[in-house]
């Protein structure tokens, strides 16, 4: 297989955006472990309420679970083009400025400051990923918001709840257009503009003239140039899948490389990216060495890889309405 300028692993929120930007001037291979999310084969991925079905469907979700204080919590991760943006609740919300300031301090880069990150998020809307007020509206929800304001005058009433900086009561902004889900893949990659297509691959024409998307590719590990003074990643090795999460063709692998000035970019999500790094020998050496099946070679000691996962846990309140309640 000829090398590409960039190899991107994961076609989710970050991967699709990067593929769109980079393919405007460089050759890009975008690898996805799941399948294409195009209609008509996957209607539930496009209907907003469909996430109730897709979050637990093994064809569209990895169905992970986390363990918090001995309590198992379902942790869906998208397994389809668009990644988790194809199966989530479509809520669009900015991160907390305190977290961004922490990133800027840790990285010593102003590019992660709150002002820079807010501007970056705002650019997504103008780039084609809509964040709009949802069409859902119930009288009982408006009545609840009125009651919240009476009980807590400092709470801000809004129809565009995108900030996490203040006490807010109102409706979330969502990634939808005319009542249809818009995933990152659908927003940033024009899935109809291809010049070659098969069940598992699309080679695109303009505006993504140098983009190839290949699905049902489960990355086994990163590839390295071991002759360099420091091991240097030069590509990835992946399995072909059968669309059901099973490795096909007796475990045969394919190796793909990036050009010298390009790179391999991991966008496989909060679970997938550190997992790929770990199996490639990058992570906490003590932890990796203790595994039943440790990596073939320990390459770089980085204790933070795979640690400090922060999830957005929710507390859902359930109320019984009175018989005279207006809904």
């Amino acid at each position: 297989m000829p090398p590409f300028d960039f190899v991107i692993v994961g076609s989710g929120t970050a991967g699709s955006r990067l593929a769109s930007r980079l393919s405007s001037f460089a050759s890009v291979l975008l690898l996805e472990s799941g399948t294409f999310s195009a209609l008509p084969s996957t209607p539930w991925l496009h209907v907003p309420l469909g996430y109730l079905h897709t979050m637990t469907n093994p064809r569209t979700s990895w169905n992970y679970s986390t363990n918090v204080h001995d309590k198992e919590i379902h942790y869906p991760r998208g397994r389809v083009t668009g990644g988790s943006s194809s199966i989530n609740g479509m809520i669009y919300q900015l991160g907390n400025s305190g977290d961004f300031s922490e990133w800027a301090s840790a990285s010593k880069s102003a590019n992660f400051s709150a002002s820079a990150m807010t501007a970056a998020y705002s650019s997504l809307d103008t780039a084609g990923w809509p964040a709009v007020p949802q069409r859902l509206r119930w009288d009982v929800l408006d009545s609840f918001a009125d009651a919240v304001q009476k009980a807590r005058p400092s709470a801000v009433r809004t129809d565009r709840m995108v900030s996490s900086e203040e006490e807010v009561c109102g409706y979330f902004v969502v990634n939808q257009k005319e009542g249809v889900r818009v995933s990152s893949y659908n927003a940033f990659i024009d899935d109809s503009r291809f010049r070659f297509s098969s069940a598992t691959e699309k080679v695109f024409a303009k505006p993504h003239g140098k983009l190839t998307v290949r699905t049902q590719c489960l990355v086994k590990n990163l590839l390295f140039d071991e002759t360099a003074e420091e091991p240097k990643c030069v590509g990835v090795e992946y399995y072909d899948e059968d669309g059901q999460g099973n490795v096909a063709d007796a475990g045969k692998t394919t190796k793909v490389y990036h050009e010298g000035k390009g790179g391999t970019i991991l966008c496989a999500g909060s679970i997938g990216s550190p997992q790929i790094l770990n199996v490639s020998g990058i992570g906490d050496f003590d932890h990796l060495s203790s595994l039943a099946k440790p990596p073939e070679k320990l390459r770089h000691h980085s204790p933070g890889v795979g640690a400090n996962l922060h999830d957005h846990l929710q507390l859902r309140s359930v109320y019984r309405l009175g018989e005279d309640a207006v809904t």
Side-chain angles (χ1 to χ4, degrees):
M1 183 184 299
F4 293 80
D5 293 320
F6 293 94
V7 178
I8 301 176
V9 179
S11 68
T13 301
S16 290
R17 180 60 173 151
L18 278 171
S20 175
R21 291 284 296 272
L22 293 174
S23 65
S24 66
F25 63 86
S27 62
V28 175
L29 174 64
L30 180 60
L31 296 175
E32 168 58 44
S33 64
T35 57
F36 284 111
S37 59
L39 287 168
S41 59
T42 54
W44 286 114
L45 293 172
H46 304 269
V47 178
L49 199 59
Y51 73 88
L52 297 174
H53 173 71
T54 57
M55 275 191 177
T56 57
N57 187 337
R59 293 187 62 185
T60 53
S61 173
W62 284 96
N63 283 327
Y64 292 128
S65 63
T66 60
N67 191 295
V68 181
H69 301 301
D70 296 324
K71 181 177 178 62
E72 188 174 285
I73 300 175
H74 183 229
Y75 197 86
R77 296 280 87 191
R79 192 188 186 119
V80 67
T81 49
S84 295
S85 73
S86 288
I87 68 169
N88 64 13
M90 296 156 288
I91 295 172
Y92 178 87
Q93 191 164 26
L94 297 178
N96 189 280
S97 62
D99 291 334
F100 293 144
S101 297
E102 221 175 278
W103 294 2
S105 176
S107 64
K108 297 181 174 56
S109 171
N111 292 330
F112 289 111
S113 67
S115 58
M117 292 300 293
T118 299
Y121 274 111
S122 299
S123 72
L124 297 179
D125 195 356
T126 57
W129 202 10
V132 300
Q134 56 185 295
R135 305 200 302 180
L136 168 72
R137 200 171 196 102
W138 289 350
D139 289 340
V140 67
L141 297 180
D142 290 326
S143 297
F144 182 84
D146 292 338
V148 168
Q149 278 200 301
K150 288 180 181 179
R152 190 82 171 181
S154 60
V156 177
R157 177 76 176 272
T158 180
D159 287 335
R160 290 186 61 89
M161 189 161 65
V162 297
S163 172
S164 60
E165 306 299 318
E166 54 195 356
E167 291 184 321
V168 178
C169 184
Y171 292 87
F172 286 115
V173 169
V174 292
N175 295 123
Q176 296 177 10
K177 184 176 181 180
E178 298 177 355
V180 177
R181 173 195 294 275
V182 180
S183 72
S184 60
Y185 183 83
N186 292 336
F188 301 128
I189 297 177
D190 187 347
D191 209 29
S192 64
R193 302 291 294 274
F194 55 83
R195 53 188 175 84
F196 169 79
S197 175
S198 70
T200 60
E201 182 175 273
K202 289 185 179 180
V203 180
F204 284 81
K206 291 182 178 180
H208 314 295
K210 297 183 178 182
L211 173 63
T212 297
V213 179
R214 193 165 295 152
T215 60
Q216 297 174 216
C217 299
L218 179 64
V219 170
K220 177 186 177 186
N221 52 251
L222 302 175
L223 297 172
F224 293 87
D225 177 4
E226 305 287 2
T227 64
E229 186 174 339
E230 288 286 334
K232 180 181 179 182
C233 179
V234 293
V236 301
E237 183 176 8
Y238 66 85
Y239 297 108
D240 290 315
E241 287 195 335
D242 62 2
Q244 303 295 325
N246 303 308
V247 174
D249 200 11
K252 179 183 176 182
T253 63
T254 300
K255 295 181 179 180
V256 59
Y257 298 89
H258 66 250
E259 295 281 12
K261 292 185 178 180
T264 294
I265 306 172
L266 290 183
C267 296
S270 56
I271 302 295
S273 289
Q275 186 268 338
I276 293 170
L277 289 170
N278 279 174
V279 298
S280 303
I282 300 172
D284 186 331
F285 280 2
D286 291 337
H287 170 67
L288 296 180
S289 299
S290 69
L291 297 176
K293 189 176 180 181
E296 294 180 2
K297 184 173 183 178
L298 298 178
R299 290 188 169 88
H300 182 70
H301 178 59
S302 183
V305 175
N308 305 313
L309 174 66
H310 288 200
D311 196 6
H312 59 305
L313 300 177
Q314 297 175 321
L315 293 176
R316 296 177 180 267
S317 301
V318 180
Y319 299 91
R320 185 186 299 275
L321 299 176
E323 293 182 0
D324 58 343
V326 177
T327 60

